[in-house]
Amino acid sequence: MDTDNPTKLLLALASQAHDTDDTDQLMTLLREGHTAWCEGLGEVRRHVTSECQGLTDEAVRQRCADADEVWEAGMRRSEAVSRLAYAVWQESPAAIAYSELADHAARLGATLVSEAFE
């Protein structure tokens, strides 16, 4: 498995998750996937930040709008670019694959977030 490429890794992990109902294995896949998800988001953030450096505020505002992300009044440019990067990442095949992995795991009771119900 290519652990240096978060996209390939997340797609592979999602495929593995689809083929199992073992909650221990799903927890392992979730942990590995979460790390890759964070790395992938970081890569996209660096890429989007680099792309936006040469753009005017209006061009960044338009990129945000194109990604259904609003550059809200009072928001700094760096915040808008970060939100844009997150929106771009969330639409990527890797992020979607991780969401599917997490949804599958959650249906079987495996999550990275402890929940207490009373």
Side-chain angles (χ1 to χ4, degrees):
M1 206 171 327
D2 187 354
T3 58
D4 291 335
N5 182 321
T7 297
K8 287 182 182 178
L9 179 57
L10 287 166
L11 294 171
L13 294 173
S15 177
Q16 289 177 33
H18 179 68
D19 294 335
T20 187
D21 60 0
D22 180 297
T23 56
D24 290 334
Q25 183 180 7
L26 288 169
M27 289 298 295
T28 299
L29 296 173
L30 280 171
R31 285 185 195 101
E32 190 173 356
H34 178 73
T35 299
W37 185 94
C38 292
E39 290 170 5
L41 174 58
E43 288 179 6
V44 168
R45 186 171 191 272
R46 286 186 293 278
H47 180 74
V48 169
T49 298
S50 177
E51 284 183 343
C52 289
Q53 283 180 338
L55 300 178
T56 65
D57 285 354
E58 189 54 41
V60 172
R61 192 176 265 84
Q62 185 58 54
R63 289 231 22 225
C64 288
D66 292 345
D68 292 326
E69 190 59 54
V70 177
W71 184 344
E72 298 173 1
M75 184 183 289
R76 294 187 327 257
R77 178 185 171 105
S78 60
E79 292 173 296
V81 170
S82 289
R83 287 177 60 170
L84 172 61
Y86 184 77
V88 168
W89 171 246
Q90 284 296 93
E91 295 298 319
S92 74
I96 292 168
Y98 182 71
S99 292
E100 290 177 7
L101 183 164
D103 290 347
H104 174 69
R107 284 190 296 275
L108 296 171
T111 68
L112 294 180
V113 179
S114 298
E115 297 179 343
F117 295 100
E118 295 179 19

